[in-house]
Amino acid sequence: MQQQTHTSSQENSGHDHDHQHSLLGAHTELIFSILSGVFLAIGFIISITFQNSNYVSFAFYLGAYFFGGFFTAKEAWESLSKKHFEIDFLMLLAAIGAGFLGEWAEGALLLFLFSLGHALEHYAMNKARKSIAALADIAPKTAIVRRGNEQVEVPIEELKLGEIIIVKPNSTISADGIVVKGSSSVNQAPITGESVPVDKQQVLDPAAEYNDFSKIPPEYKVYSGTINGTSVLEVKVIKESKDSTLARLIKLVNESESQKSPTQQFTDKFEKIFVPCVLVLVVLLLFAFLVLDETFSDSFYRAMAVLVAASPCALAISTPSAVLSGIARAAKSGVLIKGGGPLEELGGLTALAFDKTGTLTEGKPKLTEVIPYGNTDSNELLMAAAAVEKLSDHPLAVAVVKGVQERLGTMEIEEAGQLESVTGRGVKAEWKGEEVVIGNRGIFEDTLSVTLPTPLDADLNKLEQEGNTAMIIRKGNEFLGLIGLMDTPKHDAKEAISKLKTIGMKQIIMITGDNQQVADAVAKKIGLTDAWGSLLPEDKVEAIQKLKQREQKVAMVGDGVNDAPAMAKSTVGIAMGAAGSDVALETADIALMSDQLRGLPFAIGLSRKSKVIIKQNLWISLGVTALLIPATIFGIAGIGPAVLIHEGSTLVVVFNALRLLAYKSE
């Protein structure tokens, strides 16, 4: 038979033990348990106070059996009908056995304590689940939509792409979209965990098509479930309610609850061996009267006591309760942890590898240097750069085009064509009838086997030593010159790296496609232990493998898109700024919804606390079982004390796990 505990089955959507639709509402199970205790107490008082009152006390014990065993029997039957074997059935069997021996008070006590423990355990676990379910209550149920000259309130499910919603001051935004009118500060804490409101303003071209939400600058886009400040905003809907960032977050958090951690997998395997052994032991103890000087009743009672003592309720719930609480606490702070595996693995990391652009740096490079070469003037150099880079959507290309527009204004630039990308090195295109090549040193020296002129090489070295990302531009066989871009480190990068070192990270390395000199300059500014530059995407995968040989557990931190192969090779893949990227939400093991690095030390600290609590719970559950089994075998403890300690240990591990809901980063 398949063994499955009453707690582990809670993870299956079909068996949630939710009695909200019962006769007395959400707390029916607890009320029945209390009634069982009342009937037990009255029956016991009558039995010791009045003589010849056996039938009266027996009637009250039967009442205690009914109320204490109602949900136990119901859940045991549901599980048996699905060919599952549950602890509920074992407890029911033990209570019936006690009644068979005439120990009605002890059987009633067993069912009372078991049902009370069950009810309190469900209450505690539901508290953790409600913390997750609270995410669903963030988004409003309706939105005010501008339709013609009217403003109409409609359910968010009826919102259509492209419609304009009106967001009043201090109200919750009801859809993912772009600001087409107005400016305000928006509290994004419910989604990203950011503590400071973010300024939003009207997008430059409200009529344009914005198909890729991840590429919209953060000052123009808003998320469903975030809270508007003191000004009215008009927002164009970019995503339907079912596809919003909040909806996807809720879906992924709910899915993550069922992903088992390594410890859970261990306890499941342990139970599959342990429970059959216990059942064999119980059967043997039933026949102890054949070799010991005792009656069958004594042997039967001992066997039932061992059955209660050995039921692994606390063991089964010890890890799931901690995982559920840890995931719920992380989600509250804008960190999505996809299951128990990543939650446990994160705490065991000894090395972190970071991508540079958009992870450690702002990801908003600016055109800082323009150095013409030979007879080329600055305008021609800039026009060649802008014409080619207009065809690319790479962040550096966007920065080049923006920088050229700022310098040349509305000057007309002839369009380029036939763009060809050379991954990790640069681009080629046709412009004014000649091939234009723009890229780093590698595209010329390695791909094209061209030697750079000495003066140009000297200027290139100087730019790179200053921390610029330098691009060489050549038209036909003539070098036009160099342009330099610089991406500044994030304001919280240095502090976050310092905290990571404090909590014991041995290696904090940047792996980037930028040249080694740029990588070294950034690493020095923010305090990294090392920087590996000039890496192509496949080189990053090799870098992770190399790092794993040094340090067994390594995380790759990036945007979840370009870094997906390296993330797949790492112990844990962590995506930054995942609120704006569907791909990042799907590919990463852990997603920081904001692009702020301070979420990383928090997540690692939470993981480590979770691991400590899981270990504590395992010691408590296994320790209590190890003490109770011999105590019941040798007659030191009967059914009553066994079930009291058994249910007590189950509640201890659950409430110990709930401490994670109040976790605060040190």
Side-chain angles (χ1 to χ4, degrees), residues 18-28 71 74:
D18 186 1
H19 308 301
Q20 290 189 10
H21 303 293
S22 300
L23 180 65
L24 302 175
H27 302 298
T28 301
F71 285 111
K74 180 174 177 285

Side-chain angles (χ1 to χ4, degrees), residues 261-262 340-350 553 571-572 590 607 611:
S261 71
L343 179 66
E344 284 195 38
E345 294 285 14
L346 186 63
L349 294 175
T350 53
K553 295 193 175 182
T571 311
V572 180
I590 295 170
S607 170
K611 287 186 77 172

